[in-house]
Amino acid sequence: MRLLCLLQLLCLAGCSASRSRDWAYHGAPMYADLTARELKAVRDYLHGIPELELTEVRSKTLMKNSILLIELHLPRKHEALRALDRGQAKPQRQARVIIQFGNKTEPNITEYIVSPLPSPKTHTIKTFKGARPIRFESRPISAVEYDHIEGILGKIANKAHKLLFETTGGFSFNNCSNRCLTFSDIAPRGLGPGERRSWIMLQKFVEGYFIQPIGFEVLINHQDLDPEKWNVEKVWYNSMFFDSVEELVEKYESGDVEKIKLPEHDDNDLYSSYIPRGHSNTATNIHGPKLVEPQGKRYHVDRNFVEYAGWSFAYRVRSSAGLQVFDLRFNGERIAYEISLQEAIAFYSGDTPAAMQTKYIDAGWAMGSSSYELAPGIDCPEIATFVDLYHYFDTDKPVRHKNALCIFEMTTAMPLRRHFDSNFKGGYNFFGGVDNAVLVLRTTSTVYNYDYIWDFVFYQNGVVEVKVSATGYIHATFFTANGLHYGAKVYNHVLGNLHTHLIHYKVDLDIAGRENSFETIDLKYVNFTNPWSPKNFIVQSKLHRTEQKTERSAAFRFGKKFPRYVHFYNPNEKNKWGHQKGYRIQLNSHAHSVLPRGWREENGISWSRYPLAVTRHKDSEATSSSMYTQGDPWDPVVSFEDYIRNDEDIVNQDLVAWVTVGFLHVPHSEDIPNTATPGNTVGFFLRPFNFFDEDPSVASRSTVIVRQGKDGMPKVQRWTPEVIGHCVSDKPFFYNGTYAGV
């Protein structure tokens, strides 16, 4: 009878695990990015509605109604959970669409939810929390607007041709061949809501032009939808301001302005280029180490559903903001419903007007759609699974980004666990070790000068690491003596401007269910009489737990002491040892606030006040930022501070952790030609804290145990093949960086 009961329990457990996996697989398509077919269907449906009066986004006029963005609109969480936890029908797929109504008496931005997909029939207006309107001036800049900016810059350059030509030693903006000038535009575009005025700096158009400033900056008012009415408001040249280009040219000719003469340009000695220079001590006739999969892949990818070593999850790359993971489970148990990138900012300081104004908020540049092709052997191992991504941003047809996401397993070259058990007699009792292989989900965002490498790393012991590595070119301006207060001279006439990177993540934890609580754990010293020597005292640390009961108490400010442990747990579920099942968040960050609280642009990034804030889950609080914050940080459409202002109860609730990580970057000469990743990686870990009864990696067959036999010879015990097998693929390196409409 007891054997029968045991068999029944084993059967139930097996059936439950199988059912959990099937339901996770069943629900994963809810989070899959829109296909090219779906994107086209949404576009065609909306273009077929006469009253919208839609035209192509790439038509040259700004006074038009056009689609700016199409991406997946996520289902409500409780609807999605019916499919994930009960195997019920999935909610219908929907699209989020941003339409720019420029051909209206009062131009506006309106968002729509279009459904059902793949054959849409209805559309409804989507509003933000508090029904805040979206100012037309807050829209992301488009390719057509850039064309018109280039046009006015051409007129400016004609007026200042001699100045620019003499300053740069032969570079010009118009009618140039291999000695051309280009530009970088600065945001936010103004000093308050409703403005659209951009500082623009000219640079030499060579490889790495971001660090080739020439000392000419201009403020253009481009608020009007008729580019003929755009005008120059200020010009900056050699640390002097002018009210017009004509004034600068006149004073330049009369000698009232000290002229800049940049060093002679040498195409064969380009400091901003990747071409190797200097002596190398590394052999070039052989390749370095490579990853191999001797017996094939140990993970499984089916569209956007991934399984590996007990892990399963669905993923997507949101065009507006980037990489997201959903329904994250370990051995069938959900740990998080959503872990998603929300925003990335880089706030600068400097002495030139462009540097002073630079406060980049990258969702406003469609950070997620800036995911380009990954290079095998550099961005990802050659053995990786590469995935194409499709985006619809500022385009008239879906754009396919080939091989823009990769998934791979790698060894960390560090044991997950190990121990050498010495017998202290020249031998040992045993050696035990577990190989630390992990699965990596990776994509990148190249937002003009900076490249962000986004990683989710899944360990065999139930740990998840979420991190970003920053590389690419620094944002550089023209060197001035006063500029040394705001950065470092990195080349002739080039100042690398100090800046702070902050990254914001949403972490919707579901620890053993949706009803979770949150506590902080610190240490306090205790002093008591030594029980075995009453004349003496014992001083030691004691755990001090604080249950955080409301949203405001769980919002930790930068500049304040951060708790040693932050612990999310299910108060209704315990492990074998009587501990409440939980996970904790461990930060790997050097972040700090970038502006005083409430200071103008800081209102748009109120999430940056907190390394960690905890709120109750609400579908209306889906994101902490928006594509419009860059264009209007002063009065943002999405204000994160509103999420915690009502100070709701967070005990035994569905909780969301909002995590801010980042670092200060003071550029230095080693940032030339561009920034390297070592030391520029930040993120956080999700670590089990009494969630399991023991380390779940005890199930790993990548374990090796060695014991000494009676004959003194080692006896090896292992559960994987003894012979590793063949080496890396013999396929030659191939890379094609193009992307095109489909």
Side-chain angles (χ1 to χ4, degrees), residues 337-352:
Y337 176 75
E338 174 186 353
I339 307 176
S340 60
L341 174 63
Q342 295 293 304
E343 186 60 274
I345 67 171
F347 275 38
Y348 287 77
S349 299
D351 189 48
T352 80

Side-chain angles (χ1 to χ4, degrees), residues 502 518 520 548 551-563 566 587 591-599 602-603 605-614 640-641 644-645 658 660:
L502 292 182
F518 171 62
T520 57
Q548 306 297 340
E551 291 174 325
R552 183 59 71 184
S553 71
F556 302 95
R557 295 288 303 274
F558 278 115
K560 304 288 186 180
K561 182 183 177 183
F562 192 75
V566 288
L587 302 182
H592 208 280
S593 57
V594 292
L595 285 174
R597 182 187 176 104
W599 177 258
E602 195 270 349
N603 289 308
I605 55 165
S606 55
W607 52 265
S608 70
R609 299 168 185 171
Y610 312 102
L612 175 70
V614 181
F640 178 76
E641 192 68 26
I644 59 179
R645 187 167 280 126
W658 304 87
T660 304

Side-chain angles (χ1 to χ4, degrees), residues 235-289:
V235 181
W236 183 91
Y237 177 80
N238 200 9
S239 298
M240 295 180 65
F241 285 93
F242 306 88
D243 291 326
S244 66
V245 179
E246 290 81 0
E247 180 193 0
L248 167 60
V249 171
E250 180 183 334
K251 291 184 176 180
Y252 181 89
E253 294 288 353
S254 65
D256 293 332
V257 175
E258 183 180 348
K259 298 180 179 180
I260 300 172
K261 184 73 170 77
L262 296 180
E264 193 69 29
H265 183 82
D266 184 356
D267 289 318
N268 296 317
D269 184 24
L270 194 59
Y271 66 89
S272 57
S273 168
Y274 263 80
I275 295 174
R277 49 188 180 267
H279 175 71
S280 172
N281 291 309
T282 305
T284 58
N285 61 336
I286 55 173
H287 278 285

Side-chain angles (χ1 to χ4, degrees), residues 309-603:
W311 290 106
S312 71
F313 59 88
Y315 72 85
R316 70 178 285 224
V317 179
R318 182 165 50 130
S319 298
S320 51
L323 189 58
Q324 299 180 299
V325 162
F326 293 92
D327 191 29
L328 177 64
R329 306 187 190 204
F330 191 81
N331 291 338
E333 276 196 275
R334 183 177 303 110
I335 292 165
Y337 176 75
E338 174 186 353
I339 307 176
S340 60
L341 174 63
Q342 295 293 304
E343 186 60 274
I345 67 171
F347 275 38
Y348 287 77
S349 299
D351 189 48
T352 80
M356 298 174 193
Q357 184 67 7
T358 303
K359 297 172 181 65
Y360 287 138
I361 306 172
D362 288 342
W365 306 78
M367 175 170 59
S369 68
S370 303
S371 50
Y372 302 107
E373 184 172 355
L374 300 169
I378 299 173
D379 294 320
C380 311
E382 290 90 343
I383 60 170
T385 298
F386 290 88
V387 180
D388 297 345
L389 299 176
Y390 292 84
H391 297 293
Y392 196 110
F393 172 74
D394 192 29
T395 179
D396 290 307
K397 55 185 177 181
V399 176
R400 175 190 174 201
H401 292 238
K402 296 194 299 291
N403 297 342
L405 179 141
C406 69
I407 302 167
F408 57 92
E409 186 183 12
M410 71 172 189
T411 175
T412 61
M414 171 71 71
L416 180 64
R417 291 182 285 109
R418 60 99 65 191
H419 179 65
F420 179 83
D421 199 63
S422 173
N423 65 4
F424 302 102
K425 298 177 182 178
Y428 60 96
N429 300 313
F430 77 93
F431 166 82
V434 183
D435 172 41
N436 190 16
V438 298
L439 186 77
V440 180
L441 173 70
R442 173 175 294 171
T443 188
T444 62
S445 296
T446 301
V447 191
Y448 291 87
N449 58 304
Y450 253 104
D451 295 65
Y452 294 107
I453 303 168
W454 309 104
D455 283 349
F456 282 74
V457 185
F458 303 91
Y459 293 79
Q460 298 173 64
N461 64 337
V463 171
V464 183
E465 183 181 6
V466 182
K467 63 181 179 178
V468 56
S469 302
T471 177
Y473 285 93
I474 59 173
H475 178 64
T477 55
F478 195 75
F479 176 78
T480 66
N482 197 48
L484 290 173
H485 295 293
Y486 308 105
K489 186 175 184 178
V490 294
Y491 210 77
N492 292 322
H493 300 288
V494 183
L495 183 82
N497 297 81
L498 74 85
H499 54 283
T500 297
H501 293 276
L502 292 182
I503 316 296
H504 203 225
Y505 289 95
K506 177 183 181 182
V507 186
D508 182 355
L509 292 165
D510 284 355
I511 307 298
R514 294 182 69 179
E515 291 73 34
N516 291 172
S517 293
F518 171 62
E519 69 173 357
T520 57
I521 304 176
D522 280 296
L523 298 179
K524 282 191 173 182
Y525 291 125
V526 291
N527 185 335
F528 56 89
T529 301
N530 189 327
W532 49 270
S533 181
K535 293 180 181 180
N536 296 289
F537 295 88
I538 298 291
V539 176
Q540 62 185 17
S541 296
K542 179 181 180 180
L543 290 174
H544 178 71
R545 298 174 184 264
T546 304
E547 183 180 30
Q548 306 297 340
K549 296 183 178 181
T550 66
E551 291 174 325
R552 183 59 71 184
S553 71
F556 302 95
R557 295 288 303 274
F558 278 115
K560 304 288 186 180
K561 182 183 177 183
F562 192 75
R564 303 285 285 272
Y565 275 30
V566 288
H567 177 215
F568 297 82
Y569 62 95
N570 190 317
N572 312 303
E573 295 289 335
K574 296 182 178 181
N575 71 0
K576 182 178 179 180
W577 314 113
H579 297 294
Q580 290 156 330
K581 300 182 73 168
Y583 258 75
R584 66 185 186 96
I585 292 177
Q586 179 178 313
L587 302 182
N588 173 28
S589 172
H590 316 287
H592 208 280
S593 57
V594 292
L595 285 174
R597 182 187 176 104
W599 177 258
R600 300 174 63 176
E601 296 90 354
E602 195 270 349
N603 289 308

Side-chain angles (χ1 to χ4, degrees), residues 192-208:
E195 294 186 9
R196 202 164 179 85
R197 302 184 296 151
S198 297
W199 275 101
I200 292 171
M201 59 179 177
L202 297 189
Q203 301 144 319
K204 292 181 180 179
F205 189 39
V206 296
E207 286 185 10

